[in-house]
Coordinates of all heavy atoms in Angstrom, one line a residue:
Chain B
E194 N 168.2 114.2 22.5 CA 168.2 113.6 21.2 C 166.8 112.9 20.9 O 166.5 112.0 21.6 CB 169.3 112.6 21.0 CG 170.7 113.3 21.1 CD 171.8 112.4 20.7 OE1 171.5 111.3 20.0 OE2 172.9 112.6 21.1
V195 N 166.1 113.4 19.9 CA 164.7 112.9 19.7 C 164.5 112.7 18.2 O 165.2 113.2 17.3 CB 163.6 113.8 20.3 CG1 164.0 114.3 21.7 CG2 163.4 115.0 19.4
S196 N 163.4 112.0 17.9 CA 162.8 112.0 16.6 C 161.3 112.3 16.8 O 160.6 111.4 17.3 CB 163.0 110.7 15.9 OG 162.2 110.6 14.7
A197 N 160.9 113.4 16.4 CA 159.5 113.8 16.7 C 158.5 113.0 15.9 O 157.5 112.5 16.4 CB 159.3 115.3 16.3
T198 N 158.9 112.6 14.6 CA 158.0 111.9 13.8 C 157.9 110.4 14.2 O 156.9 109.7 14.0 CB 158.3 112.0 12.3 OG1 159.7 111.6 12.1 CG2 158.2 113.4 11.8
Q199 N 159.1 109.9 14.7 CA 159.1 108.5 15.1 C 158.7 108.3 16.6 O 158.5 107.2 17.1 CB 160.5 107.9 15.0 CG 161.1 107.9 13.6 CD 160.2 107.2 12.6 OE1 159.9 106.0 12.8 NE2 159.8 107.8 11.5
G200 N 158.5 109.4 17.3 CA 158.1 109.4 18.7 C 159.3 109.0 19.7 O 159.0 108.6 20.8
T201 N 160.5 109.1 19.2 CA 161.6 108.6 20.0 C 162.0 109.7 21.0 O 162.3 110.9 20.7 CB 162.9 108.4 19.1 OG1 162.5 107.6 18.0 CG2 164.0 107.6 19.9
N202 N 162.1 109.3 22.3 CA 162.5 110.2 23.4 C 161.6 111.5 23.6 O 162.0 112.5 24.2 CB 163.9 110.7 23.2 CG 164.9 109.6 23.6 OD1 164.6 108.7 24.4 ND2 166.1 109.8 23.1
I203 N 160.4 111.4 23.1 CA 159.5 112.5 23.3 C 159.2 112.8 24.7 O 159.0 113.9 25.2 CB 158.2 112.3 22.5 CG1 158.5 112.3 21.0 CG2 157.1 113.3 22.8 CD1 159.1 113.6 20.5
G204 N 159.2 111.7 25.5 CA 159.0 111.8 27.0 C 159.9 112.8 27.6 O 159.6 113.4 28.6
K205 N 161.2 112.9 27.1 CA 162.1 113.8 27.7 C 161.7 115.2 27.5 O 162.0 116.0 28.4 CB 163.5 113.5 27.1 CG 164.2 112.2 27.5 CD 165.6 112.1 27.0 CE 166.2 110.8 27.4 NZ 167.6 110.6 26.8
I206 N 161.2 115.5 26.4 CA 160.7 116.9 26.2 C 159.5 117.2 27.1 O 159.4 118.3 27.7 CB 160.4 117.1 24.7 CG1 161.5 116.8 23.8 CG2 160.0 118.6 24.5 CD1 161.2 116.9 22.3
V207 N 158.6 116.2 27.1 CA 157.4 116.4 27.9 C 157.8 116.6 29.4 O 157.3 117.6 30.1 CB 156.5 115.1 27.9 CG1 155.4 115.2 28.9 CG2 155.9 115.0 26.5
H208 N 158.8 115.9 29.8 CA 159.3 116.0 31.2 C 159.9 117.4 31.4 O 159.7 118.0 32.5 CB 160.4 114.9 31.5 CG 160.9 115.0 32.9 ND1 162.1 115.6 33.2 CD2 160.3 114.6 34.1 CE1 162.3 115.5 34.5 NE2 161.2 114.9 35.1
F209 N 160.7 117.9 30.5 CA 161.3 119.2 30.6 C 160.2 120.3 30.8 O 160.3 121.2 31.6 CB 162.1 119.6 29.4 CG 162.8 120.9 29.4 CD1 164.0 121.1 30.0 CD2 162.1 122.1 28.9 CE1 164.6 122.4 30.1 CE2 162.7 123.3 29.0 CZ 163.9 123.5 29.6
I210 N 159.1 120.2 29.9 CA 158.1 121.2 30.0 C 157.3 121.1 31.3 O 156.9 122.1 31.9 CB 157.2 121.1 28.7 CG1 158.0 121.4 27.5 CG2 156.0 122.1 28.8 CD1 157.3 121.1 26.2
E211 N 157.0 119.8 31.7 CA 156.3 119.6 32.9 C 157.0 120.1 34.1 O 156.4 120.7 35.0 CB 156.1 118.1 33.1 CG 154.9 117.5 32.3 CD 154.6 116.0 32.7 OE1 155.6 115.3 33.2 OE2 153.5 115.6 32.5
H212 N 158.3 119.9 34.1 CA 159.2 120.4 35.2 C 159.0 122.0 35.2 O 158.9 122.6 36.3 CB 160.6 120.0 34.9 CG 161.5 120.5 36.0 ND1 161.7 119.9 37.2 CD2 162.4 121.6 36.0 CE1 162.5 120.6 37.9 NE2 163.0 121.6 37.3
G213 N 159.1 122.6 34.1 CA 158.9 124.1 34.0 C 157.6 124.5 34.6 O 157.5 125.5 35.3
I214 N 156.5 123.8 34.2 CA 155.2 124.2 34.6 C 155.1 124.0 36.2 O 154.6 124.9 36.8 CB 154.1 123.3 33.9 CG1 154.1 123.6 32.4 CG2 152.7 123.6 34.5 CD1 153.2 122.7 31.6
S215 N 155.5 122.9 36.7 CA 155.4 122.7 38.1 C 156.3 123.6 38.9 O 155.9 124.0 40.0 CB 155.6 121.2 38.5 OG 156.8 120.8 38.1
H216 N 157.4 123.9 38.4 CA 158.3 124.8 39.1 C 157.7 126.2 39.2 O 157.7 126.9 40.2 CB 159.6 124.9 38.3 CG 160.7 125.7 39.0 ND1 160.8 127.1 38.8 CD2 161.6 125.4 39.9 CE1 161.8 127.5 39.6 NE2 162.3 126.5 40.3
K217 N 157.0 126.6 38.1 CA 156.4 127.9 38.0 C 155.2 127.9 39.0 O 155.0 128.9 39.7 CB 155.9 128.1 36.6 CG 155.5 129.6 36.3 CD 156.7 130.5 36.2 CE 156.4 131.9 36.0 NZ 156.6 132.4 34.7
K218 N 154.5 126.8 39.1 CA 153.3 126.7 40.0 C 153.8 126.8 41.5 O 153.2 127.6 42.3 CB 152.6 125.4 39.9 CG 151.9 125.2 38.5 CD 150.5 125.9 38.5 CE 150.0 126.0 37.1 NZ 149.2 127.2 36.9
G219 N 154.9 126.1 41.8 CA 155.4 126.1 43.1 C 155.9 127.5 43.5 O 155.6 128.0 44.6
H220 N 156.5 128.2 42.5 CA 157.0 129.5 42.7 C 155.9 130.5 43.0 O 156.0 131.3 43.9 CB 157.7 130.0 41.4 CG 158.8 130.9 41.7 ND1 160.0 130.4 42.1 CD2 158.9 132.2 41.6 CE1 160.8 131.4 42.2 NE2 160.2 132.5 41.9
E221 N 154.7 130.3 42.3 CA 153.6 131.1 42.6 C 153.1 131.0 44.0 O 152.8 132.0 44.6 CB 152.5 130.7 41.6 CG 151.2 131.6 41.7 CD 150.1 130.9 40.9 OE1 150.0 129.7 40.9 OE2 149.3 131.7 40.4
H222 N 153.1 129.8 44.5 CA 152.6 129.6 45.9 C 153.5 130.2 46.9 O 153.1 130.7 47.9 CB 152.4 128.1 46.2 CG 151.3 127.5 45.4 ND1 150.1 128.1 45.2 CD2 151.3 126.4 44.6 CE1 149.3 127.4 44.4 NE2 150.0 126.3 44.0
E223 N 154.8 130.1 46.6 CA 155.8 130.7 47.6 C 155.6 132.2 47.7 O 155.8 132.8 48.8 CB 157.2 130.5 47.1 CG 157.8 129.1 47.3 CD 159.1 128.9 46.6 OE1 159.9 129.8 46.5 OE2 159.2 127.8 46.1
H224 N 155.3 132.8 46.6 CA 155.2 134.3 46.6 C 153.8 134.7 46.2 O 153.5 135.0 45.1 CB 156.1 134.9 45.5 CG 157.5 134.5 45.8 ND1 158.4 135.2 46.6 CD2 158.3 133.4 45.3 CE1 159.6 134.6 46.6 NE2 159.5 133.6 45.9
G225 N 152.9 134.6 47.2 CA 151.5 134.8 47.0 C 151.2 136.2 46.5 O 150.2 136.4 45.8
D226 N 152.0 137.2 46.8 CA 151.7 138.6 46.4 C 152.0 138.7 44.9 O 151.5 139.6 44.2 CB 152.6 139.6 47.1 CG 154.1 139.4 46.9 OD1 154.5 138.4 46.3 OD2 154.8 140.3 47.4
G227 N 152.8 137.8 44.3 CA 152.9 137.8 42.9 C 153.8 138.9 42.3 O 153.7 139.3 41.2
H228 N 154.6 139.5 43.2 CA 155.5 140.6 42.7 C 157.0 140.3 43.0 O 157.3 139.6 43.9 CB 155.1 141.9 43.3 CG 153.8 142.4 42.8 ND1 153.7 142.8 41.5 CD2 152.6 142.4 43.4 CE1 152.4 143.2 41.3 NE2 151.7 142.9 42.4
G229 N 157.8 140.8 42.1 CA 159.2 140.8 42.3 C 159.8 139.4 42.4 O 160.7 139.2 43.2
H230 N 159.3 138.5 41.6 CA 159.9 137.1 41.6 C 161.3 137.1 41.1 O 162.1 136.4 41.7 CB 159.0 136.2 40.7 CG 157.6 136.1 41.2 ND1 156.7 135.4 40.5 CD2 157.1 136.5 42.3 CE1 155.6 135.4 41.2 NE2 155.8 136.1 42.3
G231 N 161.5 137.8 40.1 CA 162.9 137.9 39.5 C 163.4 136.5 39.1 O 164.6 136.3 39.2
H232 N 162.6 135.6 38.8 CA 163.0 134.3 38.4 C 163.4 134.3 37.0 O 162.6 133.9 36.1 CB 161.9 133.2 38.8 CG 162.2 131.9 38.2 ND1 163.3 131.2 38.6 CD2 161.6 131.2 37.3 CE1 163.3 130.0 37.9 NE2 162.3 130.0 37.1
T233 N 164.5 134.8 36.7 CA 164.9 134.8 35.3 C 166.3 134.1 35.1 O 167.1 134.1 36.0 CB 165.0 136.2 34.7 OG1 165.8 136.9 35.6 CG2 163.7 136.8 34.5
H234 N 166.5 133.5 34.0 CA 167.7 132.9 33.7 C 168.7 133.9 33.1 O 168.3 134.6 32.2 CB 167.5 131.7 32.7 CG 166.7 130.6 33.2 ND1 167.2 129.6 34.0 CD2 165.3 130.4 33.1 CE1 166.2 128.8 34.3 NE2 165.1 129.3 33.7

Side-chain angles (χ1 to χ4, degrees):
Chain B
E194 297 190 17
V195 313
S196 168
T198 55
Q199 300 300 308
T201 315
N202 281 339
I203 292 305
K205 288 187 181 177
I206 306 177
V207 172
H208 182 259
F209 179 89
I210 298 171
E211 280 186 335
H212 180 79
I214 295 171
S215 57
H216 188 269
K217 196 73 184 254
K218 294 276 168 213
H220 212 78
E221 182 193 33
H222 294 312
E223 280 169 38
H224 302 270
D226 64 352
H228 289 289
H230 295 175
H232 171 61
T233 49
H234 297 276

